[in-house]
């Protein structure tokens, strides 16, 4: 059987841009420039003969065709990931490399995150570091540290510091903007909340 399909790169660009409704955020997730994402989407639209986005002055909106296409393309990438991990589990593209600074580690349960069953599908390995630049160099996917910043183009989520009753000191979860709302980040943040919030 012969398949007439768009390029994988153009589909990845569309899927990321459609989830975020932003070429810039999609570019951060994919590690390319916003212009490259835009060009890939235009290439896809031209090959399909269908407009997938409405370009607005301050963002993007999906057309009816784009709204129909997105969930099915997302499922295709999920299926590709599942199939790949089934035969090559060490690849596991869903797992993060997490940076954890020693001061933050001291505030968390011993062995976190390795001892947390809920994080096994999401965290590949943990590296001791407090260097934010390692995120920009793609050596780690996210970093947990005690304070710092500002972090410029990186996303920041602040969490309570369990040893600071004043509430002024925070734990910082830092990652690229395109990864801030992904399932790995959400799982890590949820588990952090579970282990540091009183009564959890």
């Amino acid at each position: 059987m012969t398949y007439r399909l768009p390029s994988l790169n153009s589909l990845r660009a569309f899927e990321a841009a459609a989830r975020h409704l932003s070429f810039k955020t999609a570019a951060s997730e994919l590690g390319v420039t916003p212009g490259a994402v835009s060009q890939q989407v235009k290439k896809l639209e031209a090959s399909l003969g269908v407009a997938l986005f409405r370009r607005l002055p301050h963002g993007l909106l999906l057309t009816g065709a784009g709204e129909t296409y997105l969930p099915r393309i997302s499922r295709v990438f999920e299926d590709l990931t599942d199939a790949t991990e089934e035969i090559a589990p060490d690849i596991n593209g869903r797992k993060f490399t997490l940076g954890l600074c020693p001061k933050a580690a001291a505030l968390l349960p011993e062995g976190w995150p390795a001892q947390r069953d809920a994080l096994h599908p999401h965290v590949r390995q943990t590296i001791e570091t407090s260097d934010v630049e390692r995120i920009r160099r793609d050596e780690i996917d996210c970093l947990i540290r005690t304070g710092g910043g500002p972090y410029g183009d990186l996303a920041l989520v602040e969490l309570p510091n369990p040893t600071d009753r004043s509430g002024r000191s925070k734990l910082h979860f830092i990652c690229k903007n395109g990864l801030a709302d992904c399932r790995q980040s959400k799982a890590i943040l949820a588990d952090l909340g579970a282990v540091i919030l009183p009564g959890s």
Side-chain angles (χ1 to χ4, degrees):
M1 181 183 293
T2 301
Y3 295 98
R4 295 183 61 198
L5 297 171
S7 76
L8 188 62
N9 283 342
S10 65
L11 289 172
R12 287 183 69 213
F14 162 72
E15 198 272 342
R19 273 190 288 110
H20 298 295
L21 292 178
S22 165
F23 290 147
K24 182 177 179 181
T25 308
S28 178
E29 177 179 315
L30 298 175
V32 297
T33 66
V37 173
S38 177
Q39 287 301 313
Q40 286 290 346
V41 170
K42 286 179 181 177
K43 181 179 173 183
L44 175 62
E45 290 175 318
S47 71
L48 297 175
V50 173
L52 299 169
F53 291 103
R54 290 178 56 206
R55 277 84 168 164
L56 304 176
H58 301 292
L60 301 171
L61 282 179
L62 286 166
T63 62
E67 289 181 352
T68 300
Y69 207 34
L70 173 61
R72 302 184 73 174
I73 295 302
S74 294
R75 283 198 297 273
V76 167
F77 281 114
E78 290 286 339
D79 288 344
L80 283 171
T81 301
D82 289 342
T84 301
E85 291 178 0
E86 186 174 332
I87 65 165
D90 289 343
I91 288 179
N92 203 333
R94 293 178 177 164
K95 290 192 175 185
F96 269 14
T97 296
L98 185 151
L100 183 62
C101 82
K103 288 182 179 179
L107 301 175
L108 299 170
E110 186 175 352
W112 190 94
Q115 301 305 317
R116 303 289 287 184
D117 290 343
L119 292 183
H120 289 173
H122 304 289
V123 178
R124 177 185 296 110
Q125 63 177 325
T126 305
I127 295 175
E128 183 179 300
T129 183
S130 59
D131 184 3
V132 175
E133 291 304 313
R134 297 188 73 169
I135 298 175
R136 294 189 175 96
R137 295 195 299 267
D138 294 320
E139 296 172 3
I140 58 176
D141 296 294
C142 60
L143 172 65
I144 299 166
R145 57 183 288 179
T146 52
Y151 303 111
D153 58 327
L154 299 177
L156 164 66
V157 177
E158 292 185 327
L159 294 150
N161 182 331
T163 66
D164 179 15
R165 296 184 181 278
S166 73
R168 289 190 294 270
S169 175
K170 302 286 186 181
L171 284 177
H172 285 187
F173 175 90
I174 309 138
C175 65
K176 288 186 177 178
N177 273 310
L179 299 178
D181 294 318
C182 71
R183 80 181 82 180
Q184 295 91 336
S185 293
K186 288 179 179 178
I188 293 167
L189 288 165
D191 201 71
L192 279 170
V195 299
I196 66 175
L197 292 177
S200 59

